[in-house]
Amino acid sequence: MSGTTIKSTKAAESVARHIETLIIEGTLRPGEALLPERELAKRLNVSRPTLRDGLKALQDRGLLRQEGNRGLRVAALGAGAITDPLLELLAGREELADDYLEFRDIVECQAAALAAERANEVDLRRIRACLDRIDRAFATAEPDEEAEADAELHQLIYEASHNLVLLQIMRALSGGLRRDVIQNRGRMFTLPHTRDRLREQHHAIASAIIAGKQDAAHDAAHQHLGYVRESLHRLRDSEAKLAVSNRRDTGGGLTG
């Protein structure tokens, strides 16, 4: 093997290692598109053949995926494992919704406390911007945008925790988180003052993180998820009673 080949191989490995680090730390997000080859090679200061070798190694390991002629994107890491048939089965069981919220309560309270301890100015700027997004959607009564901003805030808190294992696991669950937030909001909006309460709770969590108050951030996250669980309990109870009343009204569909 020539010296040139060894140097080229090491450069390709360095490229792969650099991009892998950006993926692990959450800088490159699942589904995010990489720059075109020419520009990417220039940014990384390597030749295009060296770049291709590095990218090929990442594709072989499932970290990057090709989308037709549209270039490479970061793979939806963990999605295959976390959205397997078992999880789909669990997600479809109404009676397990409370277990899922209990799981989120355990994880998100600790994430909020870690964020209050570890968040830097970049993290806090992004959290403040997300709060502004929530407030704008609230003021203009855009429930879909409000739900998206809600889910984004939770993801930003995971990022601000600077626990990479926690971040990647919850990133992999982000599709379920967004679906959960949107579905829960749609049902909870039938309760009085829900939008106001949720907005206040998100501000409380974010304010505690921004102030660096770990216990307050933990408690605010716990109160928020406790409110969501309690509200959904009330809704399920109300819906179950209404279903019984409707069956009584129609004889269960078995009478003339």
Side-chain angles (χ1 to χ4, degrees):
M1 181 180 287
S2 70
T4 301
T5 303
I6 292 173
K7 183 178 178 181
S8 176
T9 300
K10 287 183 177 179
E13 290 173 353
S14 294
V15 166
R17 184 72 175 175
H18 177 67
I19 294 174
E20 176 189 278
T21 298
L22 294 180
I23 292 171
I24 291 172
E25 71 183 19
T27 298
L28 289 175
R29 301 184 176 200
E32 196 159 27
L34 298 185
L35 292 169
E37 183 182 284
R38 182 186 299 276
E39 189 172 351
L40 192 57
K42 185 176 179 181
R43 291 279 183 93
L44 296 174
N45 195 29
V46 295
S47 68
R48 292 174 73 176
T50 295
L51 174 67
R52 289 190 200 109
D53 288 342
L55 296 178
K56 178 65 165 55
L58 293 173
Q59 284 181 271
D60 290 344
R61 293 167 54 200
L63 296 176
L64 298 177
R65 59 183 173 82
Q66 181 77 40
E67 279 204 351
N69 296 322
R70 292 183 290 177
L72 291 172
R73 290 183 180 272
V74 179
L77 303 177
I82 297 182
T83 57
D84 67 10
L86 175 59
L87 192 70
E88 287 299 314
L89 178 63
L90 295 177
R93 305 286 295 197
E94 179 72 19
E95 64 270 25
L96 296 178
D98 191 64
D99 286 353
Y100 174 62
L101 285 170
E102 184 177 48
F103 166 75
R104 281 187 57 194
D105 191 1
I106 294 167
V107 175
E108 293 189 27
C109 291
Q110 187 59 35
L114 289 173
E117 177 188 4
R118 300 173 178 176
N120 54 46
E121 283 305 314
V122 176
D123 300 322
L124 298 181
R125 172 176 53 77
R126 296 177 70 204
I127 288 172
R128 290 188 186 100
C130 189
L131 281 181
D132 290 342
R133 183 185 174 193
I134 288 173
D135 288 343
R136 287 193 302 272
F138 179 87
T140 54
E142 297 179 71
D144 291 344
E145 171 65 11
E146 201 171 347
E148 285 293 328
D150 179 336
E152 180 189 6
L153 180 62
H154 289 282
Q155 288 295 316
L156 289 174
I157 291 170
Y158 292 128
E159 291 180 15
S161 76
H162 289 278
N163 182 305
L164 298 185
V165 175
L166 174 63
L167 171 62
Q168 292 299 342
I169 289 173
M170 297 312 293
R171 277 253 179 103
L173 283 169
S174 64
L177 174 61
R178 273 180 156 72
R179 183 171 62 248
D180 179 58
V181 166
I182 291 169
Q183 289 178 348
N184 285 346
R185 274 181 168 270
R187 296 176 69 190
M188 289 171 62
F189 281 175
T190 62
L191 300 173
H193 312 300
T194 295
R195 290 183 67 232
D196 305 79
R197 293 287 298 278
L198 291 175
R199 177 170 168 268
E200 290 167 3
Q201 289 165 5
H202 287 125
H203 271 271
I205 299 168
S207 296
I209 291 171
I210 291 168
K213 297 179 178 179
Q214 298 176 49
D215 290 344
H218 181 285
D219 292 347
H222 180 61
Q223 289 171 14
H224 167 58
L225 285 158
Y227 172 73
V228 173
R229 291 177 72 187
E230 179 187 352
S231 297
L232 291 175
H233 283 162
R234 289 167 54 197
L235 281 169
R236 282 195 293 270
D237 185 56
S238 177
E239 290 166 356
K241 289 176 179 175
L242 178 60
V244 170
S245 296
N246 284 330
R247 287 196 295 273
R248 288 172 180 158
D249 189 45
T250 62
L254 301 180
T255 61

